Amino acid sequence: MAEAVSISFRIVEPMMFRGPGEFDPFVRGTYSRAMTLAMPSPSTVAGTLATYCISELDRPASSSGEWLEQYLSILGDIKIRGPLIKLNHELMAEDKISGGFLTMEKIREKCKKEWKRLSQKPNSLKQLDEYLKREEFKPSVKVGKNVRVGVRLEAREGIPMKRVMEGFLYGAEYLDYIRPRGKETRETSVEIMAEVRGRLVESLSLARGLPVKFGGEGRVAFFSLQQGGKILDAIRKQFWDGQEKHHGFLALYLATPTLFKGGKRVEEYVKEWVENMNYRLVGISGESTVLGTGFMISARRRKPIYTSLNPGSIIFLEGLFDLLEIYRNKAFGEASMLGYGTLIPIPITNRV
């Protein structure tokens, strides 16, 4: 088995990856709505992998401890990078700031554009937010969404019929990956991809096309396992020009959201992380938000809410870098071993 395994989920129907907010008419009143994210969270991918390990590898599940401890009790010593999305065999990363996905070439273009601007302006996340709203960077692809309206039905005992319960309307928002906006093709091949490293790799058997529940509302995708790091291969080919060392300025494109416990500004968390690695922080381009991590079914309660830096944000550094080490081991924030805080290192300029 290779040192890394690539996992993918082939999308075959509209999907729902639950976003923020309640989906309960008893809480919200006469109408509730389930909203979807554009991408599954890293914990959604890790949770599906954990379910595979329980069913196929007979790994015991734990219902005690915090949410991250429960994941790691099944997955063990693991490092997941991603998820990213592959549309018509072209790998893309989410850019939540522009509301879509960027190709590898577009990611390079955005990093160069933001680097040029940052060299002329002071580092301020608030100013950067305002700039991005004024001058939006257009994504390569925007995913379409549709809302289905439904009602709650009441089954009456002894009567072979159901009736509508008055006042219980709901709306469910779904992703239409198959026909995304920005693509001329009528139908699109879609895969959600991630990389897995660690001891678990030795136990995983290569498989293709296993139907699994993925995301919310019982949606189905086809789960595959392949040898090698497909995301890393694409990053090497697109950005590193055959080199794994870089001395000068570096852009770190955030491909998945970070999680911070709160209590500090996002810039402070980033600055501490950079200083611990002995690099110099040049600037940050991006947006911060508040992010929930889902629902713990076994405990019947929500996972914690965190402060987050959005996918599509960029951190600019100066120093001597090991690009492979950064990609594999330097994701930052909480739950980075599950894929949160996945970074794509992109050399900008060499030191003279």
Side-chain angles (χ1 to χ4, degrees), residues 271-340:
K271 186 176 180 181
E272 288 178 3
W273 174 75
V274 171
E275 290 177 348
N276 287 337
M277 295 190 296
N278 297 317
Y279 301 138
R280 185 176 78 86
L281 177 63
V282 178
I284 308 170
S285 168
E287 290 181 346
S288 60
T289 189
V290 175
L291 182 67
T293 47
F295 191 82
M296 296 175 65
I297 296 177
S298 59
R300 303 299 301 169
R301 60 184 173 87
R302 289 170 180 80
K303 299 172 188 173
I305 294 176
Y306 297 86
T307 301
S308 173
L309 191 60
N310 280 336
S313 300
I314 308 168
I315 301 168
F316 293 96
L317 308 177
E318 182 182 16
L320 177 59
F321 305 99
D322 184 328
L323 303 176
L324 184 60
E325 174 69 12
I326 290 174
Y327 171 75
R328 285 182 174 175
N329 301 316
K330 299 302 182 183
F332 69 112
E334 302 294 319
S336 61
M337 68 288 293
L338 298 186
Y340 287 99

Side-chain angles (χ1 to χ4, degrees), residues 12 41 50 128 324:
V12 293
S41 68
L128 297 177
L324 184 60

Side-chain angles (χ1 to χ4, degrees), residues 12-290:
V12 293
E13 63 177 337
M15 305 298 292
M16 177 189 286
F17 303 114
R18 284 290 305 278
E22 299 288 348
F23 185 35
D24 187 343
F26 291 101
V27 175
R28 293 286 297 275
T30 58
Y31 180 82
S32 66
R33 178 171 176 173
M35 299 178 66
T36 182
L37 302 171
M39 277 283 285
S41 68
S43 53
T44 296
V45 172
T48 307
L49 180 61
T51 301
Y52 172 84
C53 291
I54 293 170
S55 61
E56 299 296 326
L57 305 180
D58 295 323
R59 294 204 169 192
S62 172
S63 59
S64 61
E66 294 300 319
W67 72 276
L68 182 56
E69 294 173 358
Q70 292 187 28
Y71 277 96
L72 297 181
S73 69
I74 302 168
L75 299 174
D77 179 21
I78 194 172
K79 288 181 181 176
I80 300 175
R81 292 296 171 259
L84 274 66
I85 191 169
K86 184 181 280 189
L87 295 173
N88 284 343
H89 310 291
E90 186 171 18
L91 193 64
M92 302 184 189
E94 184 180 10
D95 183 353
K96 196 167 186 177
I97 299 167
S98 64
F101 301 105
L102 299 183
T103 63
M104 297 292 108
E105 187 56 41
K106 278 281 189 178
I107 290 174
R108 181 196 298 275
E109 181 183 332
K110 178 175 179 177
C111 288
K112 287 183 176 180
K113 176 181 177 181
E114 291 300 293
W115 169 251
K116 182 178 180 180
R117 186 182 60 79
L118 272 177
S119 63
Q120 303 170 354
K121 288 181 176 287
N123 173 32
S124 168
L125 191 61
K126 183 177 179 181
Q127 289 180 7
L128 297 177
D129 283 348
E130 293 172 352
Y131 170 83
L132 289 166
K133 290 174 183 177
R134 291 196 308 268
E135 198 170 321
E136 181 183 1
F137 189 90
K138 294 182 179 180
S140 306
V141 172
K142 281 192 174 184
V143 174
K145 297 180 181 179
N146 58 71
V147 178
R148 303 178 184 179
V149 178
V151 296
R152 182 177 178 182
L153 298 178
E154 178 184 24
R156 301 185 64 183
E157 187 175 351
I159 301 177
M161 63 178 294
K162 293 182 179 181
R163 69 177 185 181
V164 174
M165 293 187 67
E166 183 178 352
F168 285 89
L169 293 172
Y170 69 89
E173 187 179 68
Y174 292 86
L175 290 169
D176 193 359
Y177 276 135
I178 307 302
R179 293 177 179 82
R181 290 180 288 169
K183 286 287 185 181
E184 295 180 358
T185 53
R186 292 184 178 180
E187 195 163 294
T188 304
S189 170
V190 183
E191 291 180 77
I192 306 297
M193 298 191 66
E195 287 180 2
V196 179
R197 291 177 175 80
R199 293 181 181 177
L200 179 64
V201 170
E202 300 174 1
S203 304
L204 294 175
S205 300
L206 302 184
R208 296 194 65 83
L210 299 176
V212 295
K213 290 184 178 181
F214 191 46
E217 301 297 294
R219 301 282 98 181
V220 173
F222 288 95
F223 179 51
S224 298
L225 294 150
Q226 304 174 57
Q227 285 188 351
K230 306 302 182 184
I231 296 176
L232 177 58
D233 290 345
I235 292 173
R236 275 182 168 138
K237 180 180 179 181
Q238 185 69 38
F239 301 119
W240 294 358
D241 195 26
Q243 305 295 319
E244 293 185 356
K245 307 289 184 181
H246 178 69
H247 191 199
F249 295 100
L250 183 73
L252 297 178
Y253 183 91
L254 190 62
T256 63
T258 56
L259 300 179
F260 303 115
K261 288 186 175 179
K264 301 178 184 178
R265 298 173 64 207
V266 169
E267 298 99 313
E268 294 179 46
Y269 285 111
V270 175
K271 186 176 180 181
E272 288 178 3
W273 174 75
V274 171
E275 290 177 348
N276 287 337
M277 295 190 296
N278 297 317
Y279 301 138
R280 185 176 78 86
L281 177 63
V282 178
I284 308 170
S285 168
E287 290 181 346
S288 60
T289 189
V290 175

